[in-house]
Amino acid sequence: MRVFQQLKLSALLCLSILGPLVTATLNAQESPLPEGIRFVEKLPVNGLTIHVGERSLAMYRPASNAESDKTPVAIFLTHARRDLTTGARPLVKDTRIFVPAIPEGTEEMAEIFTKPQIHWKAWWEKRFDYYGQQVTRVPVRRLPPSGVVKDGDHIELSGESIEVMATPGVTREGVTYLIERGGKRIAFSGNLILEGGRVPDLYSFQEAIVDAKVGAYHGYAGRFGPWIESLEKLAAKKPDVIVPSQGPLITDPQADIAKAIERARAIYANYLSTNALHWYFGEERMRTCADKVLGSDAPMESMPMAEHIDLPAWVQHIGTTKLLVSKDKVGFALDVGSPNALKTLQEAVANGLVTKIEGIWVTHRHNDHTQAVRDAQEALGCPVYAIESVAEALTNPGAHFSPGISANAVKDVKVVADGETMAWREFDFTFRFFPGQMLDHGAMLVQPKEKTSDPIFFIGDSFSPSGIDDYCLMNRNLMREDSGYLKCFQIVREELPENSWLVNQHIPHLFRFTDKELDHLETRYRERIAMIAEFTPWDDPNYAIDEQWAWLFPYGQEVKRGEKFTVTLRVMNHSKIDREFRVRSHFPKSLIQMKATLPSLKIAARESGELTMEGRALEDAALGVQMITLSLSSDGLDLPHWCEAMVKVVK
Amino acid sequence: MKRCILFLALSVCAPSVEAHLFLYENVECNLHDTRKTRIEFSIHAPELPTAVARGIDPASVDETWLQGLDKETIEVLKNEAGAFIRETFLLQLGNEEWIKKCVIEFESVDRIQHPPPETQLPSGCLLATVWINNPESSLPLTVGFAPTAQKRLMVAIARPAAFPEVHDLAPGESVSISLPTPPPPPVVPEVIVAPPSSRSPWIPWLVVTTTCGLGLGLFLRRKRSR
């Protein structure tokens, strides 16, 4: 028995001595990082600590809360997104924070680290008529940096030499830090590239392509070009390992970079092959866009223009307004997008071209279709019709945030359901939910009762004779069978009367696609859905193209001191599984949340859900714009400060 | 007809606002005046070389952008816009290439930076105007678009008491517009007019003399009756 005990003791002793040695050896073989660098892959942001003697430096955030890690001398951040910066905030007192310089031309973001309130105060107004199309998930709380780094900087700190390389792409300001240790070159590139040649999402790439005179609004993946340049620059540095801010280490950088570039190019070539902008901008400008991403020798596919003819006499084109004129000279307007368009309508009445205008149908939310609807309703005294989500934004624009929302609130909008019909003069109208150019978008089928001419389907801005209007990734072009362009293809192919024509509000033509052309558009589009699914880490590609799958309603509201208010989280569960979202709110000091904890939000697969929380502005609340953010988590997701809402405290 | 006089005529087709503005080039031909045609070009300044060189996002400019530029830069943009118009558009009257020789008028720097509200010009746009005296013969005006243009062109024609007539042109295409015939010069009838000096004085004198005479007569009559 004693012998057995002695043996057991010896074995334990051996294990206790040899165990760590064996583990260390195994780790040394397995870990691609050199000694003294501790990496922990975790949600929402990876942690990495570089030990330099007694001191340590951290990338993104410390690897752990262990004594040796938790108070680094410095922490290095690669970009200005809330998920990254909030992790560094608790360390501000004892740790130096290095952040990237905000590039020229983005002045509104210049002080986003030091004085984010300047950005958000301006944003209260700027969010209207906004076509900059940048992700709003930027800091709302101060993070005063000790150092601002830029391309070419070399930082010597605690004996460690760190090279800085500008690597814009996913963000405008993104940088990569490079260090050499143990004969290895290690790159810390933030969210520039994820393991497996992927990126966090697609909408972050929306950007102007200045050389092609394409603005940010039309710049689908416009930062693919600079991003590819960044990746090629990084590849040229021949890093042994890339440590991203999310997900596993990239242990074969050259292979993953090549894969990422190849995927991005395939997506962009696919986008160009179905693009509505060919109609407007022509071959040369689209070629310039292609050159930036695909390279100057790469082929560019585009669809020939669909058949198009002049508008019939009963449809007048006035800017982005279409005016239907009945035989007895009564008008019905589709969109009133500018004061000039309204003036033209008023003069048409004054001149007797029409005796009156009996209604206004609003196709979608963009201000070039809605800006003068409020004034038109007052001046012409006629009802305004729209589908529900368009009506919501027309009557309460400040509560919503999407591209180009006009601040001109319309008093009263008659909501029409998908499929609802209405007889008007010698025509029959059918209203449709038509989520083409944007999610909140309708269309109207107009059929002459006497069948004197072919039916016309007024599709807002959803197609042009060259393809689909999906150039703005902030427009929420969902890639689902029940929504987005797949839904539109289904309606156009299967649900319209024979010989129907399409009309885009910007184009004074009727046009229609052949079956072959529709096949081309739909096939390519379905291919792109699969490509995006491969390119991004989510369980459904819609998360990667829908920045607003979770958002707070109202986006902006005014609250008096001492007054209660509500904020509602609206979530679209794009996953094909049921999800339970755990929610944590972050209120500023001037606002308090009435209940300390929030219940979780269970949403069935592909369904939507919402959760309302109550708050109150303190009696002595600071006046002005206050930011509320909300963190979300669910299986495999940890999204700190994911959505924001603005509360403007007034007296 | 009275309505036509009260409301001069329909406004010309309104270009779209903001991000969608630059989908098309916009030319507006105003045919309200039978003697001359006003042709207006809305030039989106963020797409001119100086702005492109500065990396301006053409979709994101608002009314403050032009206000924030110095006068010299605006003058440069005006020159570039003028050159762009001559290169990009064709205005032909009969066989005469009008665009090459005409004067292109721009607004003053002050009006460009602080446009009056009635202008309703979209943000970042320069308004350029060309006048054409309508010919007495029925020569049509051709508005065309250079084959090298990088957008489509929306030509809107405003005629009195009519909806705007719009033409959507691809690069290389053109449209022919019949201009109103100017009214013939007024025929002045030959009338012998008496010199003003011989006409004017006797009427007042006659009035004064008659009034005084009547007054005196009434006065004497009353005096007698007493």
Side-chain angles (χ1 to χ4, degrees):
Chain A
M1 189 66 182
R2 189 178 285 177
V3 174
F4 179 71
Q5 275 182 341
Q6 276 178 348
L7 275 173
K8 194 177 166 186
L9 204 67
S10 305
L12 280 172
L13 201 66
C14 281
L15 273 177
S16 62
I17 295 167
L18 292 175
L21 282 173
V22 170
T23 313
T25 312
L26 284 173
N27 279 347
Q29 282 172 354
E30 285 172 4
S31 173
L33 293 172
E35 206 176 327
I37 296 184
R38 189 170 147 77
F39 168 74
V40 176
E41 183 196 332
K42 56 185 174 184
L43 290 172
V45 174
N46 291 335
L48 186 130
T49 301
I50 304 167
H51 292 280
V52 190
E54 296 293 305
R55 296 173 159 191
S56 68
L57 310 174
M59 291 287 167
Y60 316 128
R61 60 182 58 181
S64 73
N65 286 329
E67 200 57 40
S68 57
D69 289 353
K70 76 175 181 188
T71 319
V73 175
I75 187 161
F76 293 84
L77 303 180
T78 46
H79 54 279
R81 289 271 174 95
R82 287 199 290 268
D83 56 351
L84 190 66
T85 58
T86 46
R89 277 194 93 239
L91 302 168
V92 167
K93 276 185 189 169
D94 307 312
T95 301
R96 298 173 69 183
I97 309 281
F98 288 87
V99 299
I102 301 298
E104 281 180 24
T106 50
E107 284 74 19
E108 72 279 6
M109 286 276 289
E111 296 186 271
I112 199 66
F113 290 108
T114 48
K115 294 175 185 167
Q117 68 273 23
I118 291 178
H119 166 79
W120 291 108
K121 187 182 172 192
W123 188 242
W124 179 261
E125 298 292 339
K126 206 177 168 186
R127 68 196 157 120
F128 294 112
D129 307 312
Y130 176 67
Y131 285 107
Q133 314 314 155
Q134 297 305 298
V135 170
T136 60
R137 221 167 289 128
V138 297
V140 298
R141 314 265 183 264
R142 290 181 73 232
L143 185 70
S146 321
V148 175
V149 301
K150 60 181 190 308
D151 191 44
D153 282 354
H154 285 267
I155 302 163
E156 304 290 334
L157 201 68
S158 301
E160 191 68 56
S161 179
I162 301 163
E163 184 185 344
V164 182
M165 198 165 73
T167 48
V170 180
T171 61
R172 285 173 172 173
E173 72 283 353
V175 293
T176 293
Y177 299 101
L178 289 150
I179 66 165
E180 305 245 4
R181 187 176 261 227
K184 285 188 172 180
R185 183 171 288 163
I186 303 151
F188 306 92
S189 57
N191 59 3
L192 183 72
I193 179 172
L194 307 182
E195 189 264 346
R198 294 179 298 168
V199 291
D201 60 66
L202 211 60
Y203 53 74
S204 289
F205 290 91
Q206 187 75 24
E207 185 62 287
I209 304 172
V210 175
D211 292 353
K213 298 177 189 172
V214 169
Y217 175 73
H218 292 114
Y220 182 96
R223 271 205 300 274
F224 268 179
W227 174 76
I228 289 171
E229 282 174 22
S230 294
L231 287 179
E232 287 172 343
K233 206 163 70 168
L234 179 57
K237 291 280 181 183
K238 297 191 167 72
D240 295 286
V241 185
I242 297 175
V243 183
S245 56
Q246 295 163 277
L249 294 174
I250 299 170
T251 54
D252 190 351
Q254 300 298 333
D256 278 7
I257 287 173
K259 200 186 290 178
I261 292 173
E262 187 189 342
R263 285 172 171 168
R265 284 182 169 151
I267 288 171
Y268 202 71
N270 179 296
Y271 157 72
L272 290 173
S273 74
T274 60
N275 192 354
L277 292 179
H278 282 281
W279 168 263
Y280 302 102
F281 295 163
E283 188 79 8
E284 196 179 325
R285 286 170 75 187
M286 299 323 295
R287 184 67 248 178
T288 306
C289 295
D291 288 352
K292 297 272 169 198
V293 179
L294 309 180
S296 52
D297 300 328
M300 182 180 76
E301 186 190 17
S302 61
M303 195 179 77
M305 299 298 170
E307 177 192 10
H308 53 280
I309 60 171
D310 288 344
L311 292 172
W314 54 272
V315 181
Q316 294 295 326
H317 177 92
I318 304 163
T320 56
T321 297
K322 293 284 192 292
L323 181 68
L324 312 185
V325 182
S326 69
K327 279 179 193 165
D328 54 354
K329 287 191 171 184
V330 177
F332 193 101
L334 284 74
D335 297 338
V336 191
S338 69
N340 276 344
L342 171 57
K343 196 173 155 203
T344 307
L345 294 178
Q346 288 176 293
E347 287 169 355
V349 176
N351 281 319
L353 295 170
V354 288
T355 53
K356 59 180 169 178
I357 290 169
E358 284 191 324
I360 299 167
W361 158 253
V362 182
T363 57
H364 63 291
R365 289 177 168 188
H366 293 147
N367 63 356
D368 56 329
H369 300 260
T370 62
Q371 193 190 39
V373 172
R374 177 193 64 185
D375 296 343
Q377 186 175 45
E378 284 172 17
L380 304 170
C382 61
V384 173
Y385 304 87
I387 61 160
E388 187 175 7
S389 61
V390 175
E392 271 187 16
L394 286 173
T395 52
N396 191 8
H400 298 261
F401 174 59
S402 59
I405 278 204
S406 167
N408 300 340
V410 181
K411 266 187 196 161
D412 183 34
V413 180
K414 289 184 188 298
V415 174
V416 292
D418 183 30
E420 195 172 321
T421 57
M422 178 173 134
W424 180 77
R425 303 287 155 174
E426 69 266 31
F427 301 99
D428 286 324
F429 296 166
T430 307
F431 302 107
R432 295 306 308 261
F433 165 57
F434 199 70
Q437 193 203 29
M438 69 186 312
L439 178 61
D440 308 299
H441 198 298
M444 190 171 103
L445 176 68
V446 180
Q447 294 174 275
K449 285 175 183 162
E450 301 293 327
K451 299 199 167 76
T452 46
S453 63
D454 289 337
I456 299 181
F457 194 40
F458 291 88
I459 51 158
D461 286 357
S462 294
F463 290 93
S464 84
S466 69
I468 60 179
D469 289 68
D470 64 339
Y471 31 70
C472 181
L473 283 155
M474 298 303 185
N475 272 337
R476 307 191 69 191
N477 301 128
L478 301 187
M479 295 176 139
R480 293 168 47 157
E481 298 292 339
D482 60 349
S483 188
Y485 272 104
L486 294 182
K487 175 79 180 165
C488 295
F489 288 133
Q490 185 201 322
I491 292 172
V492 170
R493 279 173 178 275
E494 298 166 19
E495 298 176 25
L496 294 183
E498 212 177 332
N499 296 324
S500 291
W501 292 94
L502 307 179
V503 171
N504 177 305
Q505 290 297 106
H506 289 267
I507 300 175
H509 293 291
L510 306 175
F511 63 98
R512 60 185 164 205
F513 299 111
T514 61
D515 285 345
K516 194 181 163 195
E517 286 163 344
L518 285 169
D519 285 346
H520 165 83
L521 292 174
E522 189 170 344
T523 306
R524 287 284 181 278
Y525 197 69
R526 287 185 184 278
E527 285 167 2
R528 188 155 21 123
I529 296 171
M531 291 174 185
I532 294 170
E534 251 195 350
F535 192 41
T536 53
W538 303 86
D539 68 354
D540 187 281
N542 282 288
Y543 292 108
I545 50 111
D546 180 16
E547 194 208 10
Q548 304 249 326
W549 65 267
W551 66 285
L552 292 176
F553 173 89
Y555 187 73
Q557 63 180 311
E558 278 192 356
V559 175
K560 286 182 183 165
R561 278 177 169 166
E563 209 174 62
K564 284 183 182 174
F565 61 92
T566 60
V567 180
T568 300
L569 169 68
R570 292 184 174 180
V571 178
M572 204 177 251
N573 175 17
H574 289 308
S575 302
K576 293 186 184 77
I577 53 165
D578 296 355
R579 276 193 176 275
E580 181 175 358
F581 291 94
R582 293 168 292 279
V583 182
R584 202 152 54 92
S585 63
H586 311 276
F587 279 53
K589 283 178 188 168
S590 288
L591 309 175
I592 52 166
Q593 191 186 324
M594 305 302 277
K595 284 182 184 169
T597 54
L598 294 166
S600 61
L601 180 59
K602 289 178 185 169
I603 309 176
R606 293 269 156 146
E607 293 294 330
S608 298
E610 55 181 55
L611 177 69
T612 298
M613 62 206 84
E614 267 192 306
R616 187 169 64 84
L618 296 176
E619 296 292 346
D620 59 348
L623 297 175
V625 176
Q626 310 280 337
M627 299 304 297
I628 293 173
T629 57
L630 211 81
S631 298
L632 288 173
S633 58
S634 182
D635 287 347
L637 301 177
D638 190 349
L639 308 165
H641 302 268
W642 191 252
C643 350
E644 80 267 348
M646 289 188 282
V647 174
K648 188 175 186 181
V649 180
V650 295
K651 279 183 184 172
Chain B
M1 192 62 194
K2 277 181 183 173
R3 278 178 171 170
C4 294
I5 296 164
L6 283 171
F7 297 89
L8 286 173
L10 289 173
S11 303
V12 174
C13 171
S16 319
V17 292
E18 306 306 338
H20 303 82
L21 164 74
F22 55 96
L23 288 176
Y24 278 85
E25 300 290 356
N26 290 285
V27 172
E28 306 172 349
C29 301
N30 190 306
L31 308 184
H32 293 156
D33 187 339
T34 52
R35 284 164 299 178
K36 52 189 178 180
T37 295
R38 189 176 80 229
I39 299 167
E40 291 183 342
F41 302 84
S42 305
I43 303 299
H44 196 222
E47 296 175 62
L48 294 169
T50 296
V52 172
R54 292 183 182 189
I56 302 296
D57 172 358
S60 296
V61 299
D62 57 19
E63 66 282 359
T64 61
W65 178 67
L66 283 170
Q67 285 168 14
L69 298 178
D70 56 56
K71 288 187 176 181
E72 289 72 27
T73 306
I74 291 185
E75 290 296 346
V76 171
L77 288 173
K78 281 162 69 170
N79 285 337
E80 289 176 352
F84 173 76
I85 289 168
R86 289 186 207 280
E87 283 166 14
T88 312
F89 303 104
L90 170 82
L91 286 184
Q92 197 171 322
L93 200 56
N95 292 323
E96 200 176 5
E97 284 202 24
W98 199 266
I99 197 75
K100 303 291 178 202
K101 64 172 192 180
C102 65
V103 175
I104 301 174
E105 295 173 6
F106 285 93
E107 294 183 298
S108 67
V109 172
D110 189 50
R111 266 180 79 94
I112 288 171
Q113 292 191 307
H114 304 98
E118 66 272 16
T119 310
Q120 293 177 346
L121 198 64
S123 300
C125 272
L126 303 178
L127 184 67
T129 308
V130 167
W131 294 93
I132 293 179
N133 288 324
N134 294 341
E136 288 176 26
S137 57
S138 56
L139 281 179
L141 171 70
T142 303
V143 178
F145 203 31
T148 52
Q150 297 188 332
K151 285 184 195 178
R152 298 182 72 86
L153 169 62
M154 192 75 79
V155 180
I157 303 160
R159 291 195 170 86
F163 284 113
E165 179 188 321
V166 292
H167 297 269
D168 175 1
L169 307 182
E173 292 182 346
S174 62
V175 59
S176 183
I177 303 166
S178 46
L179 300 179
T181 314
V187 180
V188 183
E190 204 174 317
V191 176
I192 299 166
V193 180
S197 55
S198 64
R199 188 175 62 168
S200 56
W202 66 272
I203 296 172
W205 276 114
L206 183 65
V207 173
V208 171
T209 313
T210 312
T211 312
C212 290
L214 283 171
L216 187 65
L218 278 171
F219 175 74
L220 290 172
R221 203 173 163 184
R222 278 189 184 178
K223 209 173 177 183
R224 272 183 203 160
S225 65
R226 277 179 192 173

